[in-house]
């Protein structure tokens, strides 16, 4: 029986449209510390530890306007708080406008590239989280292991984070070698319809589904928050103009040809015939966000 996507499913490289690759590299390479793995006039491939994480595509004419339906942010996850602190120090030194939030289940830094592509650098902190409570009207509260309630949107204590670097003054210039794409987050018009597609057709597992909180997400048993949609812009949400920066497509990595074949069967059963690109399977969600399923290389 086809039970959907297995726990080993993970996100692969995220492809973004930009207006100017050299300008984008000031953020992605010089500040965030990703390594350029390949570059030509049309694209730049960036990653960490030799693994490709982000692909920038030239050709956008304007930056993605705020509150556009499209990419909200792509999240690069690091595996230690010290790695997050190094990123915070690089952001502080860069002078780029950025922000930071404590989500209880994670600590996150936010910045955007010049093309309006939102970026989150995230450190997961599941050990601080006890449970999630949903009220009768759909409001979500996160309960910490100490019993305290959190909105998940509190400001992050940046001075406290930077103290993790000690007194040496040394800041690592490169992104941690084991950083990975942990989740992708879009602005949406009809999140319930999107979840029917991601859960009912593609086989992700549902996680938070709250119109009052304004966010819907899904993932796997091991990583429940992989693909998310928010409606925080509400009536101010607009369609991205032609030629804007934003998401070109993102990739989902599967472990076997059998998993890829099962996905094709689910798409065919939903009357959504996939496009075959080499060994990959490409489709688009109901709001036009493109995603490509590929086989893992390791």
């Amino acid at each position: 029986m086809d039970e959907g996507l297995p726990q080993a499913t993970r996100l692969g490289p995220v492809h973004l449209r930009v207006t100017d690759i050299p300008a984008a590299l000031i953020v992605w390479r010089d500040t965030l510390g990703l390594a350029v793995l390949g570059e030509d006039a049309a694209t730049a491939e960036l990653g960490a530890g030799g693994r490709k994480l982000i692909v920038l595509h030239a050709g956008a004419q304007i930056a993605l306007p705020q509150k556009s339906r499209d990419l909200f942010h792509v999240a690069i996850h690091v595996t230690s708080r010290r790695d997050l602190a190094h990123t915070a120090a690089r952001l502080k030194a860069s002078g780029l406008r950025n922000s930071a939030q404590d989500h209880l289940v994670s600590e996150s830094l936010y910045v955007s590239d010049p093309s309006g592509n939102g970026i989150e650098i995230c450190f997961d902190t599941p050990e601080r989280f006890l449970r999630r409570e949903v009220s009768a009207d759909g409001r979500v509260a996160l309960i910490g292991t100490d019993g305290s309630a959190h909105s998940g949107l509190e400001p992050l204590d940046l001075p406290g984070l930077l103290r993790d670097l000690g007194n040496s003054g040394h800041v690592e210039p490169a992104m941690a070698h084991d950083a990975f794409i942990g989740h992708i987050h879009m602005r949406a018009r009809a999140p319930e319809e999107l979840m029917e597609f991601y859960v009912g057709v593609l086989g992700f597992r549902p996680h938070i589904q709250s119109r009052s909180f304004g966010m819907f997400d899904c993932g796997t048993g091991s990583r429940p928050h992989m693909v998310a949609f928010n409606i925080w812009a509400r009536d101010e949400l607009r369609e991205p103009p032609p030629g804007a920066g934003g998401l070109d497509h993102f990739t989902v990595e599967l472990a076997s040809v059998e998993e890829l074949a099962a996905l094709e069967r689910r798409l065919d059963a939903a009357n959504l015939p996939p496009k075959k690109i080499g060994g990959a399977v490409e489709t688009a969600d109901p709001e036009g966000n493109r995603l490509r399923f590929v086989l893992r290389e390791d």
Side-chain angles (χ1 to χ4, degrees):
M1 180 179 176
D2 187 352
E3 297 181 351
L5 297 174
Q7 291 201 38
T9 302
R10 68 188 188 191
L11 296 179
V14 175
H15 294 244
L16 303 172
R17 301 183 300 270
V18 298
T19 58
D20 183 277
I21 286 178
L25 289 178
I26 294 172
V27 177
W28 291 99
R29 179 194 61 201
D30 301 344
T31 301
L32 297 181
L34 293 180
V36 176
L37 305 178
E39 183 180 5
D40 57 29
T43 61
E45 298 179 346
L46 300 110
R51 178 176 169 78
K52 184 166 59 178
L53 301 180
I54 299 291
V55 181
L56 304 177
H57 295 261
Q61 302 302 308
I62 60 171
L64 181 68
Q66 290 188 354
K67 299 184 180 179
S68 292
R69 185 204 56 74
D70 197 281
L71 181 72
F72 186 56
H73 61 243
V74 54
I76 300 173
H77 288 224
V78 294
T79 61
S80 79
R81 196 167 194 262
R82 190 175 178 86
D83 290 334
L84 188 71
H86 281 296
T87 303
R90 293 196 298 272
L91 282 168
K92 182 179 179 181
S94 74
L96 293 170
R97 182 178 179 181
N98 64 91
S99 60
Q101 286 188 319
D102 185 346
H103 300 302
L104 186 65
V105 295
S106 65
E107 296 180 324
S108 298
L109 308 170
Y110 296 95
V111 68
S112 293
D113 73 12
S115 298
N117 295 308
I119 308 160
E120 175 182 358
I121 308 299
C122 177
F123 172 56
D124 294 317
T125 57
E127 71 282 353
R128 298 192 297 156
F129 173 68
L130 180 62
R131 66 181 183 276
R132 176 164 48 94
E133 293 183 350
V134 183
S135 65
D137 62 358
R139 296 185 181 278
V140 176
L142 304 180
I143 309 301
T145 52
D146 61 357
S148 60
H150 298 260
S151 69
L153 301 173
E154 285 85 6
L156 180 62
D157 175 12
L158 278 173
L161 175 64
L162 292 170
R163 283 196 292 273
D164 275 19
L165 297 180
N167 298 320
S168 70
H170 173 71
V171 176
E172 290 289 344
M175 178 67 70
H177 74 281
D178 54 356
F180 62 98
I181 301 295
H183 70 272
I184 186 163
H185 191 154
M186 273 80 78
R187 297 184 185 90
R189 290 196 179 279
E192 292 91 349
E193 183 180 356
L194 287 163
M195 288 300 97
E196 288 180 8
F197 174 76
Y198 279 87
V199 175
V201 177
L202 298 185
F204 285 96
R205 294 188 182 188
H207 185 225
I208 296 174
Q209 313 289 299
S210 175
R211 183 161 279 272
S212 62
F213 181 56
M215 193 181 80
F216 294 66
D217 68 349
C218 58
T220 65
S222 59
R223 181 161 290 278
H225 181 71
M226 290 180 71
V227 183
F229 299 93
N230 76 65
I231 53 173
W232 296 325
R234 307 288 178 177
D235 294 339
E236 297 180 70
L237 188 71
R238 68 190 78 172
E239 284 297 303
L247 179 67
D248 184 81
H249 70 276
F250 67 98
T251 55
V252 181
E253 297 182 344
L254 302 179
S256 69
V257 292
E258 291 78 15
E259 292 171 14
L260 205 58
L263 170 75
E264 288 187 75
R265 289 194 295 272
R266 293 196 296 275
L267 286 165
D268 284 332
N271 294 314
L272 297 169
K275 178 191 292 186
K276 297 295 290 290
I277 301 176
V281 172
E282 184 174 288
T283 187
D285 69 26
E287 295 196 358
N289 302 299
R290 291 192 302 134
L291 59 159
R292 190 173 295 177
F293 288 82
V294 301
L295 289 178
R296 292 172 59 160
E297 296 182 357
D298 55 4

